[in-house]
């Protein structure tokens, strides 16, 4: 007995220690990745120097193997010796603890289910359709497919990948590949406005239909859902409403925060639909402008459901991703623009993708209305006007670009480990201006300027300040850069 306890404590302790090292190695900037990919791993037992761990899905296992195997190998061997190995056990848990499955209301009338989106009678028109628990199907009823309400333009192929959205995008693909069969159920996408939630949710729907033409996919905004529910209540067809939603295989509900502080009945109806779908292994995809923990005014039990699967956030894209997004939009529209124009827009519009697109569209409109070429000059006039209204902020990226252009260096020079004098100088100048102009901490500035620590940034600031007072060449350079940065 005692011995067993020892062993149990051992493997748990070993894994806890490994986790500490992994967390440390990934650092605070990868906290999200740590929580997503490492905290769900459960240690099961230790056999010699092989640690058996449980992971929630095949996809999860593949992701870890693809992205973190080196780190894991290193850490495991550090703790269990050079021959140490990791073995995975994949466990998918689809059972729902707590509330038993209930439909909202017992069905009283037998009537054709109506599709609340089109108000047409619906029959599931798919091969090998499974038995519905309570078929409303009346022979002779007009057969229609349920239109998915997806926009054909918001595809996964059009959704440019970057560090800002990699996790959400990959999870989205996994969900489309195996709807309802991954541990990402529900998949909750959250972000501030204009960062691609609607686009990505829609894209997952399209991809699902492409890979599984037999699945019923439906996109609905939370506002539509609420209105339909109210209308069904007035018309006495609440049962049909619920029944309709329970037939869906992949349900996408956009902007769920809209229900916060209102619509308790709608939330309850959705809660039951959610349970029903989840229990049947159907996929639920939800978007929200906040993480579930911050969604105040939503039913607590609904919030707890939202935490079951994967919560993936979309961040604002970095400058390289912004450039790629612009290039893609231009390519799709068949319009050409010079690199300097694209760069200018990408560096100066850094709030969100919707504004980035807005700026691009205004620029194209300006140029075609006035029959003017899209030159850098025209772009500057336009964008500066555009940015003024949405308060312009100088970013570290932009500072690096201005400094490197001035010193005639490629902008990625700053990220190189080189000790070449001009590169060191570019890095130090970027740090100096970042400290002066932006609100970023020394640690953040260091991380963005060649992965240096805060002490290096502090040293750089002092160095430039000293040189500025003693060296005429440096003084002129700082003054000119200052002018360029405030233009
Ligand atoms: P949200 O729903 O988060 O407010 P949207 O999905 O409506 O944001 O996105 C706003 C606009 O930005 C859309 O036109 C969308 O196509 C575009 N967009 C957002 N992210 C990307 C991306 N990664 N690649 C391409 N376009 C994007
Ligand atoms: Mg949206």
């Amino acid at each position: 007995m005692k011995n067993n306890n020892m062993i149990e404590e051992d493997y748990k302790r070993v894994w806890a220690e490994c986790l500490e090292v992994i967390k440390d190695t990934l650092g605070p900037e990868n906290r999200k990745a740590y929580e997503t990919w490492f905290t769900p791993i459960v240690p099961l037992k230790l056999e010699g120097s092989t640690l058996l761990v449980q992971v929630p899905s095949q996809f999860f296992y593949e992701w870890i193997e693809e992205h973190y195997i080196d780190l894991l190998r290193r850490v495991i061997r550090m703790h269990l010796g050079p021959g140490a190995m990791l073995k995975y056990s994949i466990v998918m848990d689809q059972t729902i603890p707590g509330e038993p499955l209930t439909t909202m209301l017992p069905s009283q009338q037998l009537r054709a289910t109506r599709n609340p989106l089109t108000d047409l009678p619906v029959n599931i028109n798919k091969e090998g359709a499974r038995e519905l628990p309570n078929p409303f199907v009346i022979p002779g009823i007009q057969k229609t497919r349920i239109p998915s309400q997806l926009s054909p333009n918001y595809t996964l192929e059009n959704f440019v990948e970057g560090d800002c959205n990699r996790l959400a995008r990959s999870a989205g693909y996994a969900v489309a590949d195996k709807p309802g069969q991954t541990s990402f159920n529900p998949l909750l996408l959250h972000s501030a406005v204009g960062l691609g939630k609607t686009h990505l949710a829609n894209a997952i729907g399209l991809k699902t239909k492409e890979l599984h033409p037999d699945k019923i996919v439906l996109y609905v905004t939370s506002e539509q859902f609420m209105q339909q529910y109210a209308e069904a209540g007035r018309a006495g067809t609440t049962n049909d409403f619920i029944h309709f939603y329970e037939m869906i295989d992949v349900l996408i509900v956009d902007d769920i925060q809209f229900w916060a502080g209102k619509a308790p009945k709608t939330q309850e109806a959705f809660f039951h639909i959610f349970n029903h779908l989840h229990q049947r292994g159907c996929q639920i995809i939800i978007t929200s402008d906040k993480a579930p923990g911050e969604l105040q005014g939503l039913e607590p039990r609904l919030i707890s459901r939202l935490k079951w699967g994967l919560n993936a956030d979309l961040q604002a894209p970095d400058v390289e991703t912004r450039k790629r997004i612009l290039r893609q939009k231009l390519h799709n529209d068949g319009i050409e623009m010079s690199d300097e124009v694209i760069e200018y827009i990408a560096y100066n519009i850094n709030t969100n993708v919707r504004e980035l697109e807005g700026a691009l569209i205004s620029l194209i409109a300006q140029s075609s209305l006035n029959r003017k070429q899209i030159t850098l000059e025209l772009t500057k006039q336009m964008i500066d006007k555009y940015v003024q209204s949405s308060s312009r902020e100088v970013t570290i990226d932009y500072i690096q670009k201005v400094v490197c252009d001035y010193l005639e260096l490629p902008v990625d020079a700053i990220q190189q480990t080189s000790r070449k004098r001009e590169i060191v100088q570019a890095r130090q100048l970027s740090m100096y201006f970042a400290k002066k102009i932006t609100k970023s901490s020394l640690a953040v500035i260091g991380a963005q300027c060649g992965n240096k620590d805060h002490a290096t940034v502090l040293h750089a600031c002092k160095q430039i300040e000293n040189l500025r007072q003693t060296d005429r060449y440096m003084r002129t350079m700082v003054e000119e850069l200052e002018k360029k940065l405030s233009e």
Side-chain angles (χ1 to χ4, degrees), residues 153-162 164-165 169 189-202 219 254-255 287-289 314-315 317 321 324-326 328-329 332 352-358 361:
N153 301 324
Y154 284 165
T155 63
L156 208 53
E157 287 72 21
N158 273 344
F159 191 74
V160 174
E161 183 173 341
C164 54
N165 62 32
R169 196 178 185 280
L189 304 170
H190 64 95
S191 77
V193 65
L195 293 177
K197 297 180 294 291
T198 299
H199 185 145
L200 183 56
N202 191 98
Y219 168 93
D254 203 1
D255 286 328
T287 77
S288 154
D289 69 353
L314 298 167
Q315 300 279 343
T321 311
R324 273 186 283 128
I325 291 176
L326 287 170
Q328 184 202 258
K329 304 268 171 211
N332 287 351
N352 66 49
V353 184
R354 191 169 295 149
E355 292 215 351
L356 196 63
E357 280 182 347
I361 293 166

Side-chain angles (χ1 to χ4, degrees), residues 82-98:
M85 301 225 301
L86 200 59
K87 263 204 327 211
Y88 301 88
S89 150
I90 299 168
V91 172
M92 270 200 55
D93 185 6
Q94 286 287 344
T95 54
I96 303 179

